[in-house]
Structure formats: C-alpha cells, structure tokens
C-alpha cells in the first residue's frame, strides 16, 4: 500500500519515531504535518546521521491509522573507487 493511501491534515495529532538497532533515534508528537513525507523528513533530520537499517513508524491519532516504513541509511556517501598501478623496474 502506497503512502498516498494515508491522508492527514495539519490539525491531526501525529506520533512518529525512527527505530534502528533496538533504539529509538528520534520521536515526535505534534500537529502541523500535511503528509507522511513531511513527517518522515522531520524524523530523519531529528535523528541526525546514522548508518543502518531501521523503521519509521507514524501514527495518526486523529484519523486512526498507523504505518511502518523501512529505512536504510549511511553516514556518508562512499568515496569513488580508484586503482593505482605501480610499475616496478
């Protein structure tokens, strides 16, 4: 089921969290969000940089739905791979 199935308005009470490795990295309980993407973005910004696989959980108390979304992140972009050839004379 896509995230467009879940509707919200700015007056809905939203609870959300990011969990990874058995730890809660960020949590929110607030109104003012209009989409799952906004909530997800706020949670990722609040959690800061981390590497791993986890879950974003979002619950809309006002409309009575909840959703869990997988997340996989890295702390930085990998460096370009290069190979140097040395010639020994």
């Amino acid at each position: 089921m896509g995230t467009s199935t879940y509707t919200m308005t700015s007056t809905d009470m939203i609870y959300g969290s990011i969990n990874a490795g058995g730890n809660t990295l960020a949590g929110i309980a607030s109104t003012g969000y209009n989409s799952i993407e906004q909530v997800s973005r706020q949670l990722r910004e609040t959690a800061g940089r981390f590497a791993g696989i986890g879950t974003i959980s979002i619950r809309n108390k006002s409309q009575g739905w909840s959703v869990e979304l997988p997340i996989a992140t890295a702390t930085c972009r990998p460096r370009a791979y290069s190979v140097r050839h040395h010639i020994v004379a």
Side-chain angles (χ1 to χ4, degrees):
M1 189 177 308
T3 59
S4 61
T5 304
Y6 302 96
T7 59
M8 69 176 68
T9 66
S10 62
T11 58
D12 291 351
M13 186 65 196
I14 304 297
Y15 297 91
S17 64
I18 290 184
N19 297 292
N23 298 309
T24 300
L25 304 178
I28 59 170
S30 185
T31 60
Y33 298 102
N34 292 306
S35 69
I36 287 179
E37 289 76 17
Q38 283 182 332
V39 177
S40 177
R41 186 178 319 114
Q42 178 64 49
L43 286 166
R44 288 191 308 263
E45 288 173 4
T46 303
R49 299 181 84 174
F50 72 96
I53 298 171
T55 303
I56 295 177
S57 301
I58 301 172
R59 181 169 73 98
N60 185 327
K61 180 181 177 186
S62 303
Q63 295 191 26
W65 56 258
S66 64
V67 64
E68 289 193 349
L69 307 167
I71 183 172
T73 64
T75 56
C76 63
R77 190 170 19 163
R79 285 195 258 165
Y81 181 78
S82 66
V83 176
R84 293 185 184 185
H85 297 281
H86 296 291
I87 300 174
V88 178

